[in-house]
Amino acid sequence: MTAALALGDDALVLSHRLGEWAGHAPVLEEEVALANIALDLLGQARMLLSFVGDEDQLAYLREERAFRNVQLVEQPNGDFAHTIARQLYFSVHQHLLYEQLAAGESEFADLAAKAVKEVAYHRDHAEQWVLRLGDGTAESHERMQRALDALWRFTGELSEPVEGLDVDQQSLRDSWLTAVASVVERATLTLPSGPQSGAWTAGAGRQGVHTEPFGRMLAEMQHLHRSHPGASW
Amino acid sequence: MAAVTADQTTQRTAGTADSVDAARTAAFDAAVAADDRIEPRDWMPDAYRATLIRQMAQHAHSEIIGMQPEANWITRAPSLRRKAILMAKVQDEAGHGLYLYSAAETLGTSREEMLDKLHAGRQRYSSIFNYPTLTWADVGAIGWLVDGAAITNQVPLCRCSYGPYARAMVRICKEESFHQRQGYELLLALSRGTPAQNEMAQDAVNRWWWPSLMMFGPPDDASAHSAQSMAWKIKRHSNDELRRRFVDICVPQAEALGLTLPDPDIRWNEELGQHDYGAIDWTEFQEVLKGNGPCNEQRLDQRRTAHEEGAWVREAAAAYADKHAARTGTAGTTAQPVEATA
């Protein structure tokens, strides 16, 4: 069940990061929107992890090296532009991926058919904000560009093959690039250059090799559960 | 429609200003007496308007500041189910804040103005949110006791004389009751769990009980706004009446939970058909209101910081909306505030 774990961890970890925004968002409507997206992702994570085993054991009792999420989703929130850049890169990918899965006949078809509606909304939310920030003020333009550049190197991993996931990686990669390039251009921004992944950049999350902030995130997430072994909540 | 509308009254040219005022006041009083709803375009006494703005802004601010003590546990929730429930709850609170700001805006204030006043310490929020959430059980205690007290307070507001407020409360109370049951269920799981969990639940109830009783406000003989608010049917019951009703509800619930309330003086009063309870520490209440509670500074700081650090985002959205409107040649008609599209 490598694929369910990979997709489930992506959703679980990104949901957690978005949950960190609660009470800190720039405007009340974003409190609602970010929590809403976080909840959708948590719902997806719970279903995917349940394919593999007990959702709480998997979420709370695995160590860092056993998590299979891409490194992109574990990146800290940064400023609002960083969060939005991360949302753009991931939600466009997830939307395209779930569209393919929903159209296929794998064990993920049903889940993807439900989730694709949620993810279309996440994607729209991210795209709208990239447009507003990119084509807003000089400051927001600069921040949005910086965020897109900073997270670019984590995007290559999105289109790496996942064991057990029957999708057309090439078309996924092409569609992703076309979609992201289009939004970035409309937002008067520049598509980042440079490697999307590689030995010294990123790309080993699926193998359980993560970035440093991830360990602290897990420490916080798992602390209470681990402090009471065997308890139910 | 209830009272005479502003338009109608200004068209009445006969009579002096005094007699117009007297007629408006009489129409307003009659509408309130008949349990009609006062609507935004109706004439209303300035003091009624000011009281409602004060109360509704404070109510909205409480929803927003109230997100903080609970959001404090989102990243540490001990199961994915509990985490989802908590996230949904905090999201609901932001939504309640939005309803209430909108309802208050019908009185001629704006969300921006209210937030500025909150940030400047010129409008208040509920004293309860100045207490810290120290353990996971606090999330349950807030649901059971704090939301329980809020519901006891707010259900009568569904019949408040001001229409927009009453309608907002109908929606809010439905969701609050759901949160309250979830909080109770969280505590039940803990009290029936391991000894450590049970102890955690009892400790949380011990810390939240008295602050929850303070949510009903000062005792009736010391409540500055009560008499007028009751005459206007903004309030329907006195602080002490609601507080006692809450105690009566909580005592059997605590028993069912297998937890005790930290008040040795609670006992059933056969004669009055209600519970007696111990004395509230009003000094503590006054200190918290004055800004000297455990988390007053922290709560306001976080709110101000979120607002200040978000300024560039709001400016960007406004600039984008302007550009977009100019480009499509619809300036002034389609320039929506960013909030509407987010």
Side-chain angles (χ1 to χ4, degrees), chain B residues 30-94:
Chain B
V32 170
D35 272 336
D36 282 345
R37 289 276 163 82
I38 308 299
E39 296 297 338
R41 291 167 60 87
D42 294 338
W43 182 86
M44 62 189 81
D46 290 344
Y48 177 82
R49 186 184 301 275
T51 295
L52 277 168
I53 290 177
R54 179 182 56 77
Q55 182 174 337
M56 291 166 76
Q58 175 170 332
H59 196 159
H61 297 332
S62 301
E63 297 283 357
I64 301 310
I65 297 281
M67 294 167 69
Q68 291 182 31
E70 294 178 288
N72 182 38
W73 281 92
I74 286 179
T75 54
R76 291 176 290 170
S79 74
L80 297 186
R81 175 173 166 265
R82 294 291 179 195
K83 187 173 184 165
I85 290 171
L86 184 56
M87 273 184 182
K89 182 181 179 189
V90 173
Q91 183 192 12
D92 282 348
E93 281 158 5

Side-chain angles (χ1 to χ4, degrees), chain B residues 192-327:
Chain B
R192 293 183 178 172
T194 66
Q197 286 176 307
N198 180 284
E199 199 179 309
M200 192 192 281
Q202 184 62 59
D203 170 62
V205 170
N206 291 349
R207 283 181 289 110
W208 288 92
W209 172 249
W210 291 107
S212 300
L213 288 191
M214 294 176 197
M215 286 175 70
F216 296 93
D220 292 348
D221 53 16
S223 177
H225 305 289
S226 276
Q228 182 60 73
S229 288
M230 285 176 77
W232 279 329
K233 295 189 182 170
I234 295 173
K235 265 181 97 139
R236 298 277 177 163
H237 311 279
S238 81
N239 294 352
D240 287 333
E241 199 181 335
L242 290 170
R243 188 166 15 242
R244 186 166 311 275
R245 188 180 294 179
F246 178 67
V247 173
D248 286 341
I249 292 169
C250 286
V251 169
Q253 288 180 344
E255 276 168 27
L257 278 173
L259 298 171
T260 58
L261 297 171
D263 179 358
D265 295 329
I266 289 187
R267 60 179 58 83
W268 179 248
N269 183 323
E270 195 69 54
E271 219 168 295
L272 298 173
Q274 62 191 26
H275 288 91
D276 292 332
Y277 56 91
I280 292 172
D281 181 356
W282 292 113
T283 315
E284 175 181 322
F285 179 69
Q286 291 304 334
E287 284 302 312
V288 176
L289 280 191
K290 273 191 270 176
N292 301 327
C295 298
N296 297 58
E297 272 184 54
Q298 172 190 332
R299 299 287 186 243
L300 218 44
D301 275 353
Q302 180 178 326
R303 184 85 268 296
R304 283 194 204 108
T305 303
H307 192 72
E308 283 161 16
E309 289 182 354
W312 70 272
V313 177
R314 297 190 299 275
E315 285 158 16
Y320 176 79
D322 286 348
K323 286 186 207 177
H324 190 74
R327 257 177 243 146

Side-chain angles (χ1 to χ4, degrees), chain A residues 12 15-16 18-20 22-33 35-39 42 45-46 49 55-56 59-60 79-81 121 125 128-129 131-137 139-141 143-144 188 217 220-225 228-233, chain B residues 64 67-68 71-85 87-91 94-95 97-98 101 111 115 136 185-186 189-190 193-194 196-197 200 302-303 306-307 309-321 323 327 338-342:
Chain A
L12 178 71
S15 166
H16 186 95
L18 292 174
E20 294 173 353
H24 300 274
V27 59
L28 289 177
E29 283 76 0
E30 282 305 299
E31 296 283 2
V32 178
N36 204 322
I37 297 169
L39 259 177
L42 185 54
R46 295 180 66 190
L49 294 180
E55 60 177 31
D56 285 338
Y60 292 100
D79 68 4
F80 190 68
Y121 160 78
H125 174 263
Q128 295 298 324
W129 271 112
L131 293 176
R132 287 193 198 104
L133 298 182
D135 196 15
T137 63
E139 181 184 4
S140 69
H141 178 90
R143 284 181 186 252
M144 193 64 238
T188 72
M217 193 206 97
E220 183 174 347
M221 183 173 105
Q222 297 180 337
H223 171 262
L224 177 58
H225 186 97
H228 297 263
S232 43
W233 300 92
Chain B
I64 301 310
M67 294 167 69
Q68 291 182 31
N72 182 38
W73 281 92
I74 286 179
T75 54
R76 291 176 290 170
S79 74
L80 297 186
R81 175 173 166 265
R82 294 291 179 195
K83 187 173 184 165
I85 290 171
M87 273 184 182
K89 182 181 179 189
V90 173
Q91 183 192 12
L98 287 171
Y101 285 124
R111 193 207 302 188
L115 283 175
W136 171 250
E185 193 256 336
L186 190 164
L190 293 181
T194 66
Q197 286 176 307
M200 192 192 281
Q302 180 178 326
R303 184 85 268 296
H307 192 72
E309 289 182 354
W312 70 272
V313 177
R314 297 190 299 275
E315 285 158 16
Y320 176 79
K323 286 186 207 177
R327 257 177 243 146
V338 55
E339 290 84 358
T341 52

